[in-house]
Amino acid sequence: MDLRYTDDQLAFRAEVREWMAANVPDEPLPSFDGTRAGFEAHREWEARLNAGRWGMVTWPEAYGGRGLDLIRWLIFEEEYYAAGAPQRVNQNGIFLLGPTLIDYGTQAQKARFLPPMANGEEIWAQAWSEPQAGSDLAAVRAKAVRDGDSYLLSGHKIWSSRAVMADWAFGLFRTDPASERHKGLSLILFPLDAEGVRRQAIAQINGETGFAELFLDEVRVPVENRVGAEGEGWRICMATAGFERGLMLRSPARFQMTARRLVELYEANRETCGPAQRDAVAQAWMAAEAYALSVYATASRLIAGGGIGAEASLNKIFWSEMDIAMHETALAILGARAELLPTAPAAGDVGRWLDGYLFSLAGPIYAGTNDIQRNIIAERLLGLPRA
């Protein structure tokens, strides 16, 4: 394996770095989960990225991308995080639904949905989970009833990320009322301002509202909003989940940057740290680098024509537990100050480690709980019998 970058890849890295230096805001944007103003500021950032054709570099040029391979996407991500660029408010769209539409959508769906997704004009929410179908997604009960050239969507979705202020959602619905489990499900797109949609924000521990419940009462959408054939929703959503768990939702650059900040925090507080904190920082750095190499290997396999299978579950467990360990180490270094808000008089260099820690605790839950991922590994990778 040759881990050196080519001259073309190095030139691409330089181009990304130059654009980021000229365009990344000097001050952090307000949270997109905190206020409408923060949400719209991030929407404007998405438009700015798209104007530079950086919205999603792997997409075809016809839909706002650059048609680049996954190695260049990883390079872009490294420069993006190194520049301190804003978080992506439309990550559900550009990282999850976008690749799904490119693989499974019709030409009309690609032309209709991908350009406004790329420029932030339409922000997307993921609407898969239900009160009785979170970890066990096959228990979905929300239904889509065919009525001529339309579907009538009814049901209750929960933990729908970005749905408080997003424009559209992609959801899994039961189109065959007699079906059970994985069969008879379809992936359907619906506008969140449609008649019959009611949103209810879910307050998080930090007061922000990154999630919402969605109550759907015979929401009418055209049949053309179904992605793939009727009843093929489970297979398509598992492809989306593979991207989510195994590659795009959490690029390695995010964790490499966290590891770098952790080293800086340790250096700044070295005199009060013991061997345990020193070893934990070293372990965090090695884990982030190992994860990056693993993702580069996955990207190379996909470029060569391979796919993402059940091994994505290994990735998901690794990055979610690594994220918690990194933030626990930071809190241990900060000691009692870790509980202070960044604006507190005695906060010093606490930064946003506490916020990061609280968010990291959700990692083992979203994108399929780690308990479910362990079941997948046991059954599909190790060949163990079902309990």
Side-chain angles (χ1 to χ4, degrees):
M1 180 184 295
D2 187 353
L3 296 178
R4 292 171 298 182
Y5 294 109
T6 66
D7 290 342
D8 286 346
Q9 290 167 343
L10 291 173
F12 174 71
R13 181 185 292 281
E15 182 185 0
V16 179
R17 187 172 298 179
E18 181 180 4
W19 192 90
M20 292 295 165
N23 289 277
V24 170
D26 294 332
E27 299 293 331
L29 300 181
S31 169
F32 49 63
D33 288 331
T35 63
R36 171 58 75 175
F39 190 87
E40 295 303 326
H42 281 81
R43 190 197 296 271
E44 291 175 10
W45 169 246
E46 293 291 337
R48 192 169 184 175
L49 273 176
N50 187 64
R53 295 176 55 236
W54 299 111
M56 191 53 185
V57 297
T58 59
W59 286 10
E61 294 184 25
Y63 303 123
R66 291 175 175 242
L68 301 180
D69 61 28
L70 289 170
I71 298 299
R72 282 173 174 77
W73 172 71
L74 289 168
I75 292 171
F76 170 80
E77 286 285 293
E78 290 167 4
E79 293 301 323
Y80 190 90
Y81 277 94
Q87 293 183 25
R88 306 296 299 273
V89 67
N90 209 11
Q91 65 177 10
N92 292 314
I94 56 178
F95 294 147
L96 302 181
L97 180 60
T100 303
L101 286 177
I102 290 171
D103 284 349
Y104 296 98
T106 64
Q107 290 302 317
Q109 288 173 331
K110 294 173 188 177
R112 163 62 185 86
F113 292 112
L114 291 178
M117 185 188 296
N119 66 20
E121 184 181 343
E122 292 177 345
I123 306 295
W124 286 80
Q126 188 178 29
W128 286 7
S129 296
E130 298 178 5
Q132 304 303 322
S135 300
D136 184 12
L137 190 60
V140 159
R141 281 290 170 261
K143 61 183 180 180
V145 178
R146 186 73 178 259
D147 182 28
D149 294 331
S150 302
Y151 284 114
L152 296 176
L153 310 181
S154 298
H156 180 190
K157 298 290 185 179
I158 196 169
W159 303 117
S160 184
S161 51
R162 303 289 96 72
V164 176
M165 289 178 265
D167 307 293
W168 280 75
F170 52 101
L172 197 57
F173 294 89
R174 199 162 289 284
T175 42
D176 179 355
S179 65
E180 293 289 339
R181 304 295 296 165
H182 312 92
K183 299 179 179 178
L185 297 167
S186 298
L187 179 63
I188 298 177
L189 318 177
F190 60 98
L192 287 169
D193 61 355
E195 184 177 356
V197 176
R198 182 167 66 87
R199 319 186 206 194
Q200 182 168 301
I202 300 174
Q204 299 166 200
I205 193 171
N206 63 0
E208 296 188 347
T209 52
F211 304 93
E213 290 183 82
L214 297 175
F215 300 90
L216 310 177
D217 183 11
E218 296 194 335
V219 178
R220 184 176 294 275
V221 297
V223 170
E224 289 77 17
N225 283 17
R226 187 192 67 230
V227 180
E230 192 168 271
E232 287 292 308
W234 181 262
R235 182 176 65 85
I236 296 171
C237 285
M238 289 306 100
T240 304
F243 277 107
E244 185 177 27
R245 297 165 184 162
L247 190 65
M248 287 197 156
L249 182 64
R250 293 290 176 259
S251 76
R254 174 192 182 105
F255 303 112
Q256 288 174 300
M257 184 52 58
T258 302
R260 191 173 305 171
R261 290 173 45 230
L262 193 56
V263 170
E264 293 171 354
L265 184 68
Y266 173 77
E267 290 293 339
N269 296 273
R270 194 180 192 124
E271 291 183 358
T272 59
C273 290
Q277 281 84 41
R278 179 200 61 199
D279 292 351
V281 170
Q283 180 60 45
W285 183 275
M286 291 188 292
E289 292 301 308
Y291 177 64
L293 290 173
S294 172
V295 174
Y296 267 92
T298 299
S300 298
R301 189 175 71 249
L302 291 172
I303 291 171
I308 295 181
E311 72 277 8
S313 297
L314 294 169
N315 250 34
K316 200 273 174 170
I317 291 174
F318 189 87
W319 60 249
S320 59
E321 295 186 349
M322 173 177 64
D323 200 25
I324 292 175
M326 284 179 166
H327 285 86
E328 286 179 339
T329 300
L331 300 190
I333 291 173
L334 289 168
R337 287 189 298 127
E339 298 183 19
L340 297 176
L341 294 174
T343 54
D349 58 352
V350 299
R352 298 184 62 84
W353 285 107
L354 182 58
D355 274 350
Y357 171 67
L358 294 174
F359 183 78
S360 74
L361 296 178
I365 300 172
Y366 64 78
T369 69
N370 284 9
D371 291 336
I372 294 296
Q373 304 314 308
R374 287 187 166 88
N375 283 343
I376 293 172
I377 292 167
E379 295 171 11
R380 302 182 196 174
L381 293 181
L382 301 179
L384 298 178
R386 294 176 67 91

